[in-house]
Amino acid sequence: MFIQNKINFNFKHIVLFSIFFEIIFFLRTGLVYSYPNDQLWHHFFLYIKEFSLDLDLMSFANSEQRSLWFFFMGNLSKIFDPLQLYYIFIITQNFIFFLICFLIFDHFLIKKTLLNYILFGFVISSNYILFSGSLASFHEISYTYRSTGYVLNLLAIYFVLKNKPYYSIIIAFAGSLMHLPISVPFYIFFITFIFLRKYNFKITTFFLISIILLLIFNLSHVSFIKDEEYLDLAKKLMYLRQSYLYIENWNTDYTLRYFLFYICFFTSIIFTRSVLKKFLIILFLMHLSYLVCVYLTYELPTFSVFKLGRELPFIFLVFLSMMINFTDNNPFNNLLIFISLFSLILFSSLSIFLIIFLIQIILNKHKINYTFSKLYSK
């Protein structure tokens, strides 16, 4: 069949795919300026100085001081009315998100057939795929400052894959100035590459300087609640308002899908060849360190912005690419793969996808190395 024939896809085709599946995504999820969160941010732009009252707990957040996103959006809100700004932002940002996802997928894909691109497009245009009970989502592309940081850091990861570290560091730095917590997983990823590719002194120094500048910028604007009474009240309000941050409050499905990521990751490492093991073990340990740090600090109001699951979007893209790469001439094998993909497309069921993916890793262990080798191909 035509859709199963290999096709020479270029950047123009990927752009067209991105536009098409962005439209599919909006048809499935809607594009309506009606959510309280959307309206909140626009009023934040307009009345940023009057937003927090003295002694109000909101004043401890200092969101507008720790993110340049508010500066840019605040100035744009003087040019565009709320609806115009909302639609321009959402449509543009979603297009960039889909474009980056397709570029990363194209980097990993073995068989560049129309069918594989269509399957991938329908998966990423499905309804919101949640990685855990903390509401960390693959589609972190709403009308908030963390969304811009998320998209920029995905782009930074793409440039790492293409071995363009300077572009990657600059873009990641810009993303971190939008929302540092969502950028931390990128730095985990990049540090792993410093070990793997043995970047030269200039690149490593450039990277370290960017981290130092980020720490200076954020620490100069962070506020710690020192008053014990306020701290106790903040903890109670956080547990009431953000109870989903705590693992003990997750349902079975959310708990399963989160830890299945780590089980699948560890299992795939076992079956990889020795040249890849060192890199993947470092990457695994770095992600595990994020899990531990978030778990130990999520009762502290200042650190509640770090969520379990935010370290997984890129790993999800790798797993999804690998799953599609597993397709072959075996009907039973392909049936399992299609069930896993359609569980995401129709129901956003990540648990089913990961369970079948774990089975596929065991059945197709000889195919794992190709996808993982693309992590560091130069």
Side-chain angles (χ1 to χ4, degrees), residues 286-334:
M286 296 294 281
H287 278 72
L288 200 62
S289 67
Y290 180 89
L291 185 163
V292 173
C293 288
V294 174
Y295 181 77
L296 293 177
T297 60
Y298 66 11
E299 288 191 359
L300 302 174
T302 305
F303 294 93
S304 65
V305 289
F306 294 90
K307 293 182 179 181
L308 293 173
R310 278 188 174 163
E311 75 277 26
L312 298 176
F314 177 69
I315 299 300
F316 171 70
L317 282 174
V318 175
F319 284 178
L320 180 57
S321 302
M322 189 179 293
M323 181 71 94
I324 294 175
N325 282 338
F326 284 155
T327 55
D328 54 23
N329 295 323
N330 186 324
F332 177 72
N333 182 61
N334 290 344

Side-chain angles (χ1 to χ4, degrees), residues 1 25 104 215 259 294 310 325 367 370 376:
M1 294 175 64
F25 177 72
I104 292 175
L215 288 173
F259 288 105
V294 174
R310 278 188 174 163
N325 282 338
K367 296 181 181 179
Y370 179 86
Y376 69 97

Side-chain angles (χ1 to χ4, degrees), residues 159-215:
F159 279 115
V160 170
L161 294 173
K162 292 300 182 182
N163 201 26
K164 297 180 178 179
Y166 288 110
Y167 290 142
S168 180
I169 294 169
I170 292 170
I171 293 169
F173 182 77
S176 302
L177 291 177
M178 302 297 132
H179 193 267
L180 178 62
I182 209 166
S183 305
V184 169
F186 162 79
Y187 290 98
I188 289 173
F189 186 74
F190 196 90
I191 290 170
T192 311
F193 265 80
I194 290 177
F195 285 101
L196 176 74
R197 284 183 173 161
K198 298 179 180 179
Y199 282 138
N200 61 38
F201 179 76
K202 288 183 179 180
I203 297 173
T204 305
T205 303
F206 190 51
F207 177 68
L208 291 175
I209 290 172
S210 72
I211 291 179
I212 292 170
L213 290 174
L214 284 172
L215 288 173

Side-chain angles (χ1 to χ4, degrees), residues 42 53 80 86 93 99 109 162 188-189 208 211 214 225 228 274 291 300 326 337 355:
H42 192 78
L53 301 174
F80 303 102
Y86 172 78
Q93 184 167 256
L99 179 63
L109 189 61
K162 292 300 182 182
I188 289 173
F189 186 74
L208 291 175
I211 291 179
L214 284 172
I225 303 175
E228 288 297 325
S274 57
L291 185 163
L300 302 174
F326 284 155
I337 292 171
I355 290 171

Side-chain angles (χ1 to χ4, degrees), residues 112-285:
K112 299 185 185 297
T113 66
L114 182 59
L115 176 62
N116 287 339
Y117 284 92
I118 290 173
L119 286 172
F120 178 79
F122 275 114
V123 169
I124 65 171
S125 62
S126 61
N127 210 343
Y128 295 96
I129 299 172
L130 298 175
F131 295 130
S132 66
S134 69
L135 302 185
S137 170
F138 176 64
H139 299 89
E140 193 80 64
I141 42 177
S142 57
Y143 192 46
T144 66
Y145 59 127
R146 68 176 177 271
S147 301
T148 303
Y150 175 64
V151 171
L152 287 174
N153 276 279
L154 275 180
L155 181 59
I157 286 176
Y158 172 71
F159 279 115
V160 170
L161 294 173
K162 292 300 182 182
N163 201 26
K164 297 180 178 179
Y166 288 110
Y167 290 142
S168 180
I169 294 169
I170 292 170
I171 293 169
F173 182 77
S176 302
L177 291 177
M178 302 297 132
H179 193 267
L180 178 62
I182 209 166
S183 305
V184 169
F186 162 79
Y187 290 98
I188 289 173
F189 186 74
F190 196 90
I191 290 170
T192 311
F193 265 80
I194 290 177
F195 285 101
L196 176 74
R197 284 183 173 161
K198 298 179 180 179
Y199 282 138
N200 61 38
F201 179 76
K202 288 183 179 180
I203 297 173
T204 305
T205 303
F206 190 51
F207 177 68
L208 291 175
I209 290 172
S210 72
I211 291 179
I212 292 170
L213 290 174
L214 284 172
L215 288 173
I216 293 172
F217 176 78
N218 282 273
L219 290 176
S220 64
H221 294 101
V222 69
S223 295
F224 293 96
I225 303 175
K226 299 178 181 178
D227 189 293
E228 288 297 325
E229 186 177 349
Y230 275 145
L231 183 60
D232 185 59
L233 178 59
K235 287 182 179 179
K236 291 178 179 177
L237 287 173
M238 189 176 72
Y239 196 88
L240 179 66
R241 170 65 180 83
Q242 297 177 294
S243 60
Y244 53 83
L245 293 176
Y246 304 90
I247 293 177
E248 58 267 27
N249 294 327
W250 296 358
N251 63 32
T252 304
D253 180 47
Y254 285 139
T255 306
L256 179 65
R257 68 176 65 182
Y258 181 67
F259 288 105
L260 269 173
F261 262 105
Y262 284 89
I263 293 170
C264 290
F265 198 175
F266 184 75
T267 304
S268 64
I269 292 173
I270 295 173
F271 295 121
T272 54
R273 63 176 184 261
S274 57
V275 70
L276 285 167
K277 275 192 189 323
K278 183 179 179 181
F279 167 69
L280 293 174
I281 289 171
I282 294 171
L283 188 60
F284 178 80
L285 291 176

